[in-house]
Amino acid sequence: MTTREILTIQLGHYSNFIGTHWWNLQESNFTYDPKNPSEINHDVLYKEGENMRKQVTFTPRLLIADLKGALGYLSEQGSLYDTESDNQLLWDSTKLEITSAEPSLRTSFIQSLNEFDGSVDSENFNFESDVKSWVDYLSPQFHPRTIMVIKQYLHNCTQRPFNIFTYGRDLWSTEQFFDNFTDKIRLYVEECDLMQGFQVLMDSIDGFAGLGASCVQHLHDEYGKSILAFPCLDFNNAEPSASDLVKVVNTALCWQHIGENSSLYSPLSCGQVGWPFGADARKFENITYSPELKYHSSAILATALDTLSLRYRTKKYPSASLSDLCADLNKLGRKAAATSLSLPFPMKMKMDLIDVLDEFEGSLWTSLTPNCDIPMDNNMQSIALRGISENRIKRPIHEASKQISKPAYRCSSVHEMMTLYLACTCHASATYLSNIEAPLKITLPYPKIFNNNVTKDGNIAGWPVGTDVNSIAVMAGMHSGSNVAAMYESLLKQTKRIRSIKKFHAFTDSGLEEDEFVECVHNLTDCKEAYEDYYI
């Protein structure tokens, strides 16, 4: 099978929270049984290598950037390869003054990963209080090329924060960062046989917005491959403050530039409003989570990414590609799409898919894009479903009873039945559906956010079952429709509160011109109008 490789790039602290859950999920869903091979082609996002001991390694094809102090115990070179040098033999240790910092503490979960007996007792961990950074629940091993530490800025520093779009853009322009980071990209690309493109996650409310926009422009200019970008916004329910408008400007500039250079982008947030004022979090019927905890909210966003990306990662659809997804949704110059999630997909106990769909009322999905609710109608959409077995679509004919009178009874597969359902319920929509039978395995360190009516295999019970959930069915999608206009309109409304960018000295002092800001506002207006129905 020809592997069509993808390079993933994560820029920013919250993006790395999401990415960590994503890579954890992928590795927990690896299948090692040759009699039951995986339906997912892991070579799309992973690369095979060899360490210094000639041991075969399998690591994410990944580049990460974060600020100094955010990595805690984790070395910039990772821990998979022996990178210790013998340089100490070249120096006279009696003439050296060695200064060392206190080693960063490891959470009990990270310590357990290094225990040889492999035992992991969930009762020993309290992730909600222990997790301060994404490295505190990171399971996979990284290639030494993966991590890039931005040494010019310190994580959580209030004296010199990395909080302005132009700071990130200026950082990209520095010779030291640009050469180092782009060399790493080039080395990854050169290792690929048939590369299909890039996935880029970036924080959009701080300096990483500028860094991410510059990175996407470089990828566009240098490689000409498909670029799927996800500007991420952490949930914030704090009281409004002056810094909120700074985050609004960062987000607006970010969207403008990645809209010009990416193939498709979808803003991600667990907040209903994202710009970022006090607002409610997105609600799911069968899960309860704390949206203010990055560890919780990022898990939900990662679950959506892991599922919607199945379209171009499965062996079942070897010809499906990232470029197909982008081309389906960026019609008429519309570069933005909304992301949806159904977690878990509501398969009730002892019920077949035909009955679940027949009884279901309302929307099947919840939006994960701020200020954008996704209707069932009038969308270009790509939807991926996992975790529903083919033997759960309907009863055999001698047990069918009332099922046999339903038109969907003629369907012979999950794909066929879901396609029929979406055709009947999503009026005036064009839908591309992907599905695999394997459920999403849920293992530590995924947060325990499922309600007590969810069974261990992800079914929905009508009573408390009080058990750990081991696997679930999930549906996620990307949608391009007129409701995306509301997302632009809300950001435009906040951006227009700024009469002149000159009042924000941090932007002007770092090189942002008034004309550039005015152009950004006009861009938001154009994008909003592009999604309004009467412009179609």
Side-chain angles (χ1 to χ4, degrees):
M1 176 183 290
T2 302
T3 298
R4 307 187 69 183
E5 302 95 340
I6 291 175
L7 172 61
T8 305
I9 299 175
Q10 296 166 196
L11 304 170
H13 200 59
Y14 189 57
S15 294
N16 286 327
F17 264 84
I18 299 169
T20 298
H21 274 302
W22 191 2
W23 300 108
N24 286 349
L25 282 172
Q26 290 186 64
E27 296 212 355
S28 65
N29 282 270
F30 282 172
T31 300
Y32 301 98
D33 182 3
K35 296 180 181 178
N36 184 28
S38 174
E39 296 171 82
I40 300 172
N41 183 3
H42 296 292
D43 292 331
V44 172
L45 299 184
Y46 279 75
K47 67 183 291 290
E48 189 174 302
E50 192 178 78
N51 66 11
M52 305 298 183
R53 300 188 184 93
K54 303 297 181 183
Q55 297 168 322
V56 175
T57 61
F58 200 51
T59 54
R61 190 177 293 103
L62 173 66
L63 264 176
I64 282 176
D66 211 335
L67 303 182
K68 183 180 179 181
L71 270 66
Y73 69 87
L74 186 64
S75 165
E76 189 171 354
Q77 288 75 37
S79 55
L80 185 61
Y81 290 66
D82 275 329
T83 55
E84 290 186 8
S85 171
D86 292 330
N87 284 347
Q88 64 267 26
L89 300 177
L90 303 176
W91 305 93
D92 183 354
S93 59
T94 61
K95 297 180 180 180
L96 289 176
E97 180 181 346
I98 300 175
T99 304
S100 59
E102 287 293 322
S104 299
L105 296 177
R106 300 172 185 243
T107 61
S108 53
F109 172 74
I110 296 299
Q111 293 177 35
S112 73
L113 296 179
N114 299 322
E115 295 176 359
F116 294 108
D117 61 1
S119 61
V120 179
D121 183 3
S122 63
E123 301 301 321
N124 296 334
F125 311 128
N126 187 352
F127 292 101
E128 282 73 14
S129 60
D130 289 349
V131 169
K132 302 296 188 292
S133 175
W134 51 271
V135 300
D136 292 332
Y137 58 96
L138 176 69
S139 295
Q141 302 274 20
F142 285 156
H143 189 276
R145 193 190 303 150
T146 291
I147 300 174
M148 178 90 171
V149 176
I150 299 171
K151 299 181 173 64
Q152 294 92 325
Y153 292 90
L154 190 63
H155 178 61
N156 281 340
C157 177
T158 55
Q159 285 78 28
R160 189 170 176 261
F162 188 59
N163 64 340
I164 301 295
F165 177 91
T166 37
Y167 292 175
R169 191 167 65 181
D170 292 345
L171 174 67
W172 179 268
S173 301
T174 60
E175 183 177 349
Q176 180 183 9
F177 184 91
F178 178 83
D179 290 347
N180 195 349
F181 201 80
T182 56
D183 279 350
K184 291 184 176 186
I185 294 174
R186 179 181 52 79
L187 289 170
Y188 271 121
V189 172
E190 288 176 351
E191 291 173 343
C192 298
D193 295 325
L194 189 62
M195 187 179 198
Q196 57 176 309
F198 304 89
Q199 299 171 149
V200 185
L201 280 71
M202 70 194 78
D203 292 4
S204 69
I205 61 172
D206 54 23
F208 285 104
L211 190 68
S214 299
C215 178
V216 168
Q217 182 177 352
H218 172 79
L219 298 177
H220 174 268
D221 295 344
E222 194 72 19
Y223 298 102
K225 302 286 186 180
S226 297
I227 304 168
L228 177 58
F230 295 97
C232 306
L233 298 91
D234 187 11
F235 176 78
N236 187 338
N237 61 352
E239 291 297 318
S241 67
S243 64
D244 289 335
L245 286 179
V246 172
K247 296 175 182 178
V248 165
V249 175
N250 289 332
T251 301
L253 290 167
C254 177
W255 288 13
Q256 176 193 2
H257 289 87
I258 64 173
E260 292 170 354
N261 295 293
S262 67
S263 307
L264 186 72
Y265 72 97
S266 182
L268 295 180
S269 177
C270 280
Q272 294 185 29
V273 180
W275 319 133
F277 304 96
D280 295 328
R282 295 291 184 186
K283 292 181 172 59
F284 297 82
E285 187 173 348
N286 294 298
I287 65 176
T288 302
Y289 69 106
S290 300
E292 67 279 358
L293 286 180
K294 291 182 175 66
Y295 165 68
H296 276 195
S297 63
S298 60
I300 292 172
L301 300 180
T303 306
L305 291 178
D306 188 64
T307 302
L308 68 85
S309 62
L310 289 174
R311 170 169 176 174
Y312 48 85
R313 295 196 295 125
T314 55
K315 299 173 183 176
K316 187 176 180 180
Y317 310 101
S319 60
S321 67
L322 182 60
S323 60
D324 293 335
L325 168 64
C326 296
D328 283 352
L329 300 183
N330 65 10
K331 305 292 187 187
L332 304 172
R334 296 174 164 186
K335 286 291 191 75
T339 295
S340 70
L341 179 64
S342 177
L343 178 70
F345 187 84
M347 287 294 291
K348 295 184 179 179
M349 284 184 66
K350 300 179 180 179
M351 283 184 67
D352 301 310
L353 179 61
I354 188 173
D355 296 321
V356 170
L357 295 176
D358 191 53
E359 288 185 4
F360 198 85
E361 295 180 358
S363 177
L364 262 182
W365 46 66
T366 299
S367 174
L368 292 179
T369 294
N371 295 91
C372 181
D373 293 321
I374 307 169
M376 297 286 283
D377 302 335
N378 300 304
N379 284 311
M380 306 285 291
Q381 53 195 19
S382 174
I383 292 173
L385 173 66
R386 68 179 303 166
I388 300 179
S389 171
E390 296 293 341
N391 61 18
R392 285 200 67 184
I393 62 171
K394 60 184 180 181
R395 295 287 162 183
I397 194 165
H398 61 278
E399 301 176 12
S401 185
K402 294 180 181 179
Q403 288 183 2
I404 204 167
S405 63
K406 300 173 184 177
Y409 191 79
R410 297 190 184 98
C411 299
S412 57
S413 66
V414 171
H415 189 278
E416 191 177 350
M417 189 172 288
M418 281 302 304
T419 299
L420 176 63
Y421 175 81
L422 293 169
C424 293
T425 56
C426 300
H427 304 294
S429 292
T431 304
Y432 185 101
L433 176 67
S434 312
N435 76 289
I436 63 173
E437 194 166 350
L440 181 69
K441 296 177 184 174
I442 300 296
T443 60
L444 289 176
Y446 197 91
K448 295 185 177 182
I449 56 177
F450 297 100
N451 293 348
N452 61 9
N453 65 322
V454 181
T455 68
K456 66 178 182 179
D457 54 0
N459 287 310
I460 310 301
W463 57 89
V465 292
T467 184
D468 287 342
V469 177
N470 297 328
S471 64
I472 51 171
V474 187
M475 186 172 73
M478 297 184 74
H479 313 256
S480 178
S482 59
N483 278 48
V484 176
M487 174 187 77
Y488 281 114
E489 186 172 13
S490 63
L491 182 58
L492 178 62
K493 181 180 178 181
Q494 296 299 330
T495 308
K496 282 185 172 180
R497 294 173 60 198
I498 302 170
R499 300 300 180 188
S500 172
I501 198 65
K502 293 178 181 178
K503 294 181 179 179
F504 293 81
H505 300 294
F507 284 101
T508 54
D509 291 349
S510 54
L512 185 70
E513 302 287 345
E514 182 76 29
D515 289 347
E516 187 178 353
F517 175 70
V518 172
E519 181 186 348
C520 175
V521 176
H522 290 160
N523 174 264
L524 287 177
T525 304
D526 293 342
C527 290
K528 176 182 78 75
E529 292 177 348
Y531 282 88
E532 291 174 341
D533 285 333
Y534 55 83
Y535 274 82
I536 296 177

